[in-house]
């Protein structure tokens, strides 16, 4: 690898500066993304390896980040299991056949990794294009988050149906989560075999859970997945909205990196974790709307706070919003790349 900053930081080694990549770095804030998106549906982009590679490479070519992340979606596992998935502009993902009963859960299949071969094919194309320049991050949605979409039938503000399931019918919730965890483990192992250099597990909606419910309905399945990966020198990043609260439990699953939302002081989180666990984050993405001197000030404040710490990857506390100015994202990355400890 010509640029080892990201992998070194992920394994808590010293780096001359923090490596930088950003969640949703290949996406809707880029005019070049829309040039592609206007020709294809979202799922067509995910399922065509050449197009997925084109989108994955946009931030590599235009922003100069230290790690690429595979262009795909966390819900492809739910689709592979039998979910009728679609994406509508302005609405987001929808499952036309939500999972709400024991019969619905029984219908979901688990030996489905062959249906996700298009992701492995995309990884191979991307690695050819990267040619060892920077690492490629693969990813999957964590079981609780994928379950919430399957049960709600799409996005939700209150996760009412999901919470009714886990509270009124916990045995059904566990049966569903176990199925998703099995598929997710197989899927991430497919990505490792195809050649990714790192993995991120996205538990985007874990923040909807209480402490006890997180332990029961999220953490144990994430732990199971991380333990089931066939990996050598492939670090795993664990991310959730709520990591500022759940980081101590997340550490028990033994990820290499915990990605932290912007509600916590990153150094305090780092000091509370085992020494071998790195942290990723945690700039509030809304700061990228601000004037460029403000962006610089906040990034440098974070870097001064983390000075002297091994195992720090710069990222946002969540993904880039679609209407953040492209030039501000590019400027933020330049600020990071000019910094030296």
């Amino acid at each position: 690898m010509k640029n080892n900053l990201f992998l070194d930081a992920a394994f808590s080694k010293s780096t001359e500066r923090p490596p930088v990549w950003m969640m949703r770095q290949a996406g809707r804030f880029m005019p070049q993304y829309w040039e592609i998106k206007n020709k294809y549906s979202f799922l067509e982009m995910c399922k065509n390896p050449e197009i997925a590679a084109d989108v994955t490479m946009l931030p590599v070519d235009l922003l100069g980040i230290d790690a690429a992340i595979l262009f795909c979606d966390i819900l492809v596992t739910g689709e592979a299991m039998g979910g009728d998935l679609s994406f509508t502009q302005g609405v987001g993902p929808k499952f036309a056949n939500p999972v709400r009963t024991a019969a619905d859960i029984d219908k979901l299949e688990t030996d489905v990794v062959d249906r996700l071969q298009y992701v492995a094919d995309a990884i191979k194309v991307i690695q050819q294009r990267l040619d060892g320049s920077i690492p490629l991050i693969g990813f999957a949605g964590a079981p609780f988050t994928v379950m919430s979409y399957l049960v709600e039938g799409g996005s939700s503000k209150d996760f009412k149906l999901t919470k009714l399931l886990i509270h009124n019918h916990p045995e059904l919730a566990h049966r569903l989560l176990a199925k998703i965890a099995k598929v997710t483990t197989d899927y991430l192992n497919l990505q490792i075999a195809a050649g990714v250099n790192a993995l991120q597990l996205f538990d985007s909606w874990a923040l909807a859970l209480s402490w006890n419910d997180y332990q029961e309905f999220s953490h144990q399945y994430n732990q199971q997945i991380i333990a089931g990966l066939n990996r050598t020198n492939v670090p795993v990043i664990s991310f959730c909205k709520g990591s500022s609260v759940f980081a101590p439990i997340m550490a028990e699953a033994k990820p290499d990196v915990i990605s932290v939302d912007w509600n916590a002081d990153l150094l305090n989180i780092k000091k509370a974790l085992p020494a071998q666990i790195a942290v990723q984050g945690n700039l509030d993405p809304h700061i990228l709307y601000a004037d460029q001197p403000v962006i610089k000030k906040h990034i440098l404040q974070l870097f001064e706070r983390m000075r002297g710490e091994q195992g720090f990857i710069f990222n946002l506390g969540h993904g880039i919003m679609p209407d953040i100015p492209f030039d501000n994202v590019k400027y933020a990355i330049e600020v990071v790349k000019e910094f030296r400890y």
Side-chain angles (χ1 to χ4, degrees), residues 23 32 76 112 122 128 175 181 194 232 271 316 329:
M23 287 180 270
Q32 296 84 353
V76 295
V112 298
Q128 284 175 346
R175 199 191 311 170
T232 305
K271 295 286 191 192
L316 306 176
V329 179

Side-chain angles (χ1 to χ4, degrees), residues 306-326:
M306 295 302 291
R307 189 179 284 277
E309 291 297 315
Q310 292 185 338
F312 167 44
I313 297 163
F314 176 78
N315 207 312
L316 306 176
H318 197 226
I320 299 172
M321 279 78 81
D323 59 345
I324 284 177
F326 174 85

Side-chain angles (χ1 to χ4, degrees), residues 78-286:
E79 183 190 46
M81 294 172 75
D84 183 359
L85 177 63
S86 63
F87 288 84
T88 306
Q89 188 66 40
V91 177
K94 287 281 179 192
F95 282 106
N97 54 341
V99 176
R100 308 225 171 117
T101 66
D104 294 337
I105 294 167
D106 288 344
K107 279 182 204 163
L108 293 174
E109 299 174 64
T110 54
D111 292 322
V112 298
V113 77
D114 56 316
R115 296 176 189 169
L116 295 160
Q117 182 60 40
Y118 61 87
V119 177
D121 295 341
I123 288 165
K124 290 168 186 169
V125 175
I126 295 161
Q127 287 290 34
Q128 284 175 346
R129 297 201 199 174
L130 287 172
D131 193 27
S133 56
I134 56 172
L136 174 63
I137 305 166
F139 70 92
F144 173 76
T145 290
V146 174
M147 176 176 84
S148 77
Y149 282 100
L150 286 169
V151 171
E152 302 288 340
S155 302
S156 173
K157 288 183 178 172
D158 59 10
F159 301 94
K160 181 179 176 183
L161 295 170
T162 309
K163 289 195 165 198
L164 279 172
L165 181 69
I166 67 175
H167 294 141
N168 283 345
H169 304 286
E171 71 292 345
L172 289 184
H174 283 301
R175 199 191 311 170
L176 176 52
L177 287 162
K179 281 191 157 189
I180 300 168
K182 194 266 184 196
V183 171
T184 307
T185 306
D186 291 347
Y187 177 48
L188 289 175
N189 280 327
L190 174 81
Q191 293 185 35
I192 293 168
V196 296
N197 307 107
L199 292 167
Q200 180 155 310
L201 191 61
F202 281 87
D203 206 355
S204 305
W205 303 128
L207 188 57
L209 294 169
S210 69
W211 181 270
N212 289 342
D213 287 344
Y214 177 79
Q215 284 191 297
E216 181 175 354
F217 296 102
S218 176
H219 166 66
Q220 66 165 310
Y221 295 99
N222 297 344
Q223 188 171 33
Q224 197 181 106
I225 290 164
I226 292 170
L229 297 178
N230 308 320
R231 65 193 181 99
T232 305
N233 298 323
V234 176
V236 172
I237 307 164
S238 184
F239 165 79
C240 75
K241 279 173 101 172
S243 51
S244 50
V245 176
F246 296 133
I249 315 177
M250 294 168 76
E252 294 172 11
K254 296 186 168 59
D256 300 286
V257 186
I258 291 177
S259 192
V260 181
D261 57 45
W262 66 91
N263 301 102
D265 178 90
L266 196 58
L267 184 61
N268 289 346
I269 295 279
K270 180 82 174 78
K271 295 286 191 192
L273 292 171
Q276 73 275 15
I277 296 184
V279 290
Q280 175 177 279
N282 72 334
L283 189 75
D284 179 351
H286 296 81

Side-chain angles (χ1 to χ4, degrees), residues 26 52-62 68-69 126 129-130 133:
D54 288 343
V55 180
T56 300
M57 292 299 293
L58 286 176
V60 179
D61 298 332
L62 298 170
I69 184 164
I126 295 161
R129 297 201 199 174
L130 287 172
S133 56

